[in-house]
Amino acid sequence: MIFINTEKITTDILIIGGGTAGCYAALTVSEHSDAKVLICEKAHIKRSGCLAAGVNALNAYIVEGRTPQDYVDYAKKDADGIVREDLLLTMSERLNSVTDRLAQLGLVILKDENGKYVTRGNRNLKINGENIKPLLAQAVEKLPSVTVLNRVNITDFAVKDNRIRGAFGIGIENDTFYIIEAKAVIIATGGAAGLYKPNNPGFSRHKMWYPPFNTGAGYAMGIKAGAEMTTFEMRFIALRCKDTIAPTGTLAQGVGAKQINSLGEVYETKYGLTTSERVYGTVNENQEGRGPCYLRTEGITPEQDESLKKAYLNMAPSQTLKWIESGKNPSQQNVEIEGTEPYIVGGHTASGYWIDTDRATTVDGLFAAGDVAGGCPQKYVTGALAEGEIAALSALKFVKSNKRLKVGKRATDEHIAEVERFLSDRNSQFTTEQLEEAMQTVMDSYAGGIKTNYRFNEKQLDIADEKIVQLIELSDGLHADDFQELMYIYELRERLTVCRSVIAHLKARHETRWHSFAENLDYPNKDDENWRVYVNSRLENGEIKIILRDLVEVGQTYEHSNQ
């Protein structure tokens, strides 16, 4: 019999995920109340989430001469209309104030001779952002009403009668099972990487665009709890420098590099300039025999050479090293580009929880912010901060008028029994890593991965779902020698849960609105007449029920009643 330490904690507001949105939510709560806050972070908040390694720009800012509505229009155009304009506007209205707050916390935002922020394009600010996450973490750690539990992995919500009561989790380093009771919960975990086979195999498989340790945990917990989810079919595929998977935006915006094929022809304007169209054009040019594809840097100035090498040394050193090892500067060779594997991430696309303008989910007392919050793409760092602020204020309002409810003994016993099973049962025929590789192969081959040039049809999706269900069943019998391996099991099962929802959403949208992101070979054309809708879903009796909802147009808001 395995003996497991158990610890029960009570708090006013539980924040799951100590990344960008989670940290800012905690700051906001503390600035407006003395409510007790508990942050659970499976890594360490000093270097966790998408900001772990820092960033060199803030990509969502209302520059002088622009308005929040301009930002809404930009994001709407990039997503071909399938966005929540009410969410985008309430986020955009806060972008500049949260940016100023970052500066107050010590973030170095570059300024010109007049003391104004140095802009990059119409929506971006240049920053020295290598310490952006430590600055947020330090601010949170100073708050007397906030407790941070690092290396605690939340594995499931505690929900009864569609009301959040808290959550269950495991202490990875102290072998403890946690039962947490809270009046309100803010889910602020990351999106989902690792669902598909990545560009690089073997020991290099974690060289990817999105943090490899973001498993879609927040999505998975919401799906299992019966929360309504939205737009998982709008996958995100990043266009990156080949092999290094370094960003391409610095080349495109910094030196005006155009996308060209092997014949030297500029092809980006032929396909369009939205994010998905840039990927699709590259895929298509390669398929039609005009690859490889590049960003044209040949002929740039020596000053631009040095600027690029320094910029990439700051954010993607492997690209700078590649230039150095080749003995050629960017001005002497174009940079080959490729698409990554697909990700599910609500910070760039619209995937995530179906929420109202208060960032309330359809589970009473559960709020979502950042990459897990759906309907509001192109939020980036500052948008995640803005949503953390909105969710925190809404959670505070909820806490003032609602009691803390107990987590039931039956639910607790069931979750402890599951942990004990994984730690004691040694009869598994497979390892966690083997099942993860099998999952990635299934998604790559049948659900529109790199192998099929991101394309899929309904029959392939049926096969994918069947195989993912089989892998979920096999994962029930996995074994962990310790709590670190136990976390790996839960991460795999989270990914598998998200995979099923992604497959269901891809199958449900009977059109191709976003080339490459959702390239449906059975429905190769866009259909505005029938499919200008949100594709939502809810898990009911083990099956994913698709819900089609009308678009929330300009000037409208959507507020659900959690019915």
Side-chain angles (χ1 to χ4, degrees), residues 52-95:
V55 288
N56 72 344
L58 298 177
N59 291 327
Y61 184 80
I62 311 302
V63 303
E64 198 169 322
R66 301 279 178 168
T67 68
Q69 186 60 47
D70 291 332
Y71 197 87
V72 174
D73 295 341
Y74 148 70
K76 181 180 178 181
K77 181 179 179 182
D78 198 74
D80 204 351
I82 311 299
V83 296
R84 285 276 302 280
E85 293 190 49
D86 54 342
L87 301 181
L88 278 165
L89 186 59
T90 51
M91 175 200 79
S92 300
E93 289 169 341
R94 296 172 183 262
L95 292 176

Side-chain angles (χ1 to χ4, degrees), residues 88-105:
L88 278 165
L89 186 59
T90 51
M91 175 200 79
S92 300
E93 289 169 341
R94 296 172 183 262
L95 292 176
N96 289 20
S97 62
V98 298
T99 300
D100 292 339
R101 183 75 173 94
L102 282 179
Q104 293 169 13
L105 293 175

